[in-house]
Amino acid sequence: MKKNSTMMIYIMIFPYLMVVLIEAIHRGSLWEALVWTFSNPMICLLNYGLILGVTQLAFFVKKGVYWVWLFLLTLVMNVVAYISHVKVELRGDPFLPWDIFLTNEATNVSKEFDGIFSFSIVWMVLSFLVIYVLYFWRVRRLRTSKKINLAVSLVAGVCILLIYNTMETGAAESMGIQNFGNEQEKNYEHNGMIYGFIGNIHAVRHNKMEGYNRNAIVEIAKKQSSGQDDPSFKPNVITLQSETLWDPTLLQGVEFSEDPIPYIRQLMKEYTSGQLVVPVFGGGTANTEFESITGMSMQNVVNGSSPFNDQIHKPMDSLATMLKRYGYNTTAIHTYHNWFYHRNEVYRHLGFDRFISGEFLSNPTQVGPWVDDSEMVKMMLSELKRTKGSDYIHAVSLEAHGPYKENRFPEYNINVKGKLSNESKKILRSYVQSLVVADQAVKGLIEGLKQLDEPTILVMWGDHLPGLGEDYKVYKEA
């Protein structure tokens, strides 16, 4: 009996230590993790119950299998917590369930970022191993009956079911859980890393809206006029989503030796222009792309997910499909890997006849780690010359993508002055230099279109604000 009691104590303590460790890794501070556990006891209890449930669910099986299960499961939890911490630092949002589908994309881009792997990984691994070895050393020597083992697993299963019920019934709110909508960083910070992550999985289910059916949509379409006065007039249409295109002169307390986007600014004065609100910050290019070419809002999509990766699996209407009905050639152009964000599949579902990706480039001009936007312009103009009839070209640039390292460019045209730290000035200077290159590419595109002498509509926007330093460093200092 005494052995059973001792074992139960260890079983109850282990999940709490895991909660603290996971929160400490995610938050980057052991002190903040401890403050959170004591300040939010009921929310901590929900996170504790989830870890107790999933770790002890296999307690009734052979102990060799149980120890392997426990080790792998808790190791994965801690690794996910660290990935989430890094993602918050770089992007401002934590690791989400659907990020699993972006493993290739994240691995590919992370090569360009410094400081991702640091001493904190050593601290994480050592802390995890110490907790696991101590637990293993104390519990493995305690022999228990099959009934006790089964009882532990049943309790674990009940914990999972009870917490799932709190999500279903809304009872979790009475325990302090809050719904922060699209603010995933606040979700994890308040509700805990584990509950925030699991809660997102639970939120994946879509409830059909009242009145939403095929007949209702058909009736709406009938009420819309074509808005086309002359059906024979079919100008080329180009949509250009420019990587991190933004006006950095909007930063307060910062001065530049010259305007980084003089040509684009002149276009803004001569043609329709304005500020665009996008659904992402510092990354998530494909979500802005989804909204812009389908007309659908990310507000109707599960928080933090990416339709390009987990929702577009069959043909759907977009600007490309609509223009195809009018006889347009439809082409998508992007100077990166065709598999990134599953564009090779998604563009086909969105109605594009062709997708010209970075794989088609032979020895392209590079700007730091990325392909120069001038290469994209060449592809666009070449496609317009190649085809007969009207074209719709959707292009996504890459050159201004982060990280904005000091040695990215061999020389810099613009100096940065203001109340920023030296590190922030270097980051900002690298970013504005990438805008100089992007501005020149847009100028080259416009001049090329003028030489073609074909009626063309060009619509251009930035996909999101740049990620200027870890934890919004430049923005905070400005």
Side-chain angles (χ1 to χ4, degrees), residues 178-198:
Q178 294 183 29
N179 181 3
F180 289 94
N182 287 323
E183 298 180 276
Q184 291 289 352
E185 187 177 1
K186 288 185 178 180
N187 174 26
Y188 281 43
E189 182 179 339
H190 178 80
N191 298 328
M193 164 78 200
I194 297 298
Y195 191 93
F197 185 86
I198 300 298

Side-chain angles (χ1 to χ4, degrees), residues 405-475:
K405 300 178 182 179
E406 182 181 5
N407 61 350
R408 176 165 174 166
F409 298 92
E411 58 182 30
Y412 290 85
N413 302 63
I414 299 176
N415 293 319
V416 178
K417 298 180 181 179
K419 57 183 180 181
L420 302 177
S421 64
N422 287 333
E423 182 184 356
S424 290
K425 286 180 181 178
K426 291 175 182 178
I427 293 171
L428 186 56
R429 185 177 69 160
S430 181
Y431 168 64
V432 297
Q433 186 64 34
S434 71
L435 289 181
V436 171
V437 178
D439 188 69
Q440 288 298 309
V442 172
K443 182 179 180 181
L445 174 61
I446 300 295
E447 291 177 348
L449 292 175
K450 289 178 179 178
Q451 292 177 7
L452 282 177
D453 196 26
E454 295 180 7
T456 302
I457 297 173
L458 170 63
V459 183
M460 183 176 113
W461 63 89
D463 57 352
H464 53 72
L465 289 172
L468 298 176
E470 293 185 6
D471 195 27
Y472 314 105
K473 183 177 179 61
V474 174
Y475 297 104

Side-chain angles (χ1 to χ4, degrees), residues 45-46 49-50 158-167 195:
L45 181 63
L46 288 172
L50 282 170
V158 169
C159 281
I160 294 174
L161 291 175
L162 287 175
I163 294 175
Y164 175 79
N165 185 61
T166 66
M167 295 179 178
Y195 191 93

Side-chain angles (χ1 to χ4, degrees), residues 39-55:
S39 302
N40 305 278
M42 297 306 292
I43 297 176
C44 180
L45 181 63
L46 288 172
N47 284 267
Y48 170 86
L50 282 170
I51 293 182
L52 174 67
V54 296
T55 56

Side-chain angles (χ1 to χ4, degrees), residues 265-280:
R265 197 176 304 282
Q266 187 60 38
L267 292 177
M268 292 169 64
K269 293 178 180 178
E270 296 177 1
Y271 301 96
T272 303
S273 64
Q275 297 294 319
L276 177 68
V277 177
V278 298
V280 289

Side-chain angles (χ1 to χ4, degrees), residues 266-421:
Q266 187 60 38
L267 292 177
M268 292 169 64
K269 293 178 180 178
E270 296 177 1
Y271 301 96
T272 303
S273 64
Q275 297 294 319
L276 177 68
V277 177
V278 298
V280 289
F281 174 87
T285 294
N287 286 0
T288 301
E289 195 175 353
F290 169 76
E291 285 196 341
S292 60
I293 63 177
T294 67
M296 297 184 182
S297 173
M298 287 296 298
Q299 289 290 334
N300 300 321
V301 178
V302 178
N303 295 342
S305 67
S306 174
F308 271 36
N309 287 286
D310 47 50
Q311 295 183 36
I312 302 179
H313 304 300
K314 60 182 180 180
M316 65 178 294
D317 261 354
S318 72
L319 190 54
T321 60
M322 295 176 188
L323 290 173
K324 277 181 73 171
R325 294 173 194 147
Y326 289 98
Y328 276 71
N329 305 302
T330 55
T331 304
I333 296 175
H334 182 45
T335 53
Y336 205 46
H337 305 303
N338 61 31
W339 51 263
F340 209 82
Y341 282 126
H342 297 185
R343 284 190 174 96
N344 50 353
E345 293 293 328
V346 171
Y347 283 154
R348 179 168 53 84
H349 292 317
L350 293 179
F352 288 98
D353 298 320
R354 301 184 72 208
F355 173 30
I356 308 174
S357 60
E359 286 82 356
F360 288 86
L361 294 171
S362 177
N363 298 320
T365 303
Q366 299 277 138
V367 178
W370 315 115
V371 175
D372 193 316
D373 281 356
S374 63
E375 298 286 352
M376 174 194 67
V377 170
K378 292 176 185 177
M379 296 164 75
M380 295 167 71
L381 295 174
S382 175
E383 189 64 14
L384 289 170
K385 294 175 183 177
R386 185 190 67 83
T387 57
K388 295 181 180 180
S390 301
D391 287 280
Y392 167 50
I393 294 179
H394 171 64
V396 179
S397 75
L398 179 65
E399 177 272 324
H401 198 289
Y404 306 106
K405 300 178 182 179
E406 182 181 5
N407 61 350
R408 176 165 174 166
F409 298 92
E411 58 182 30
Y412 290 85
N413 302 63
I414 299 176
N415 293 319
V416 178
K417 298 180 181 179
K419 57 183 180 181
L420 302 177
S421 64

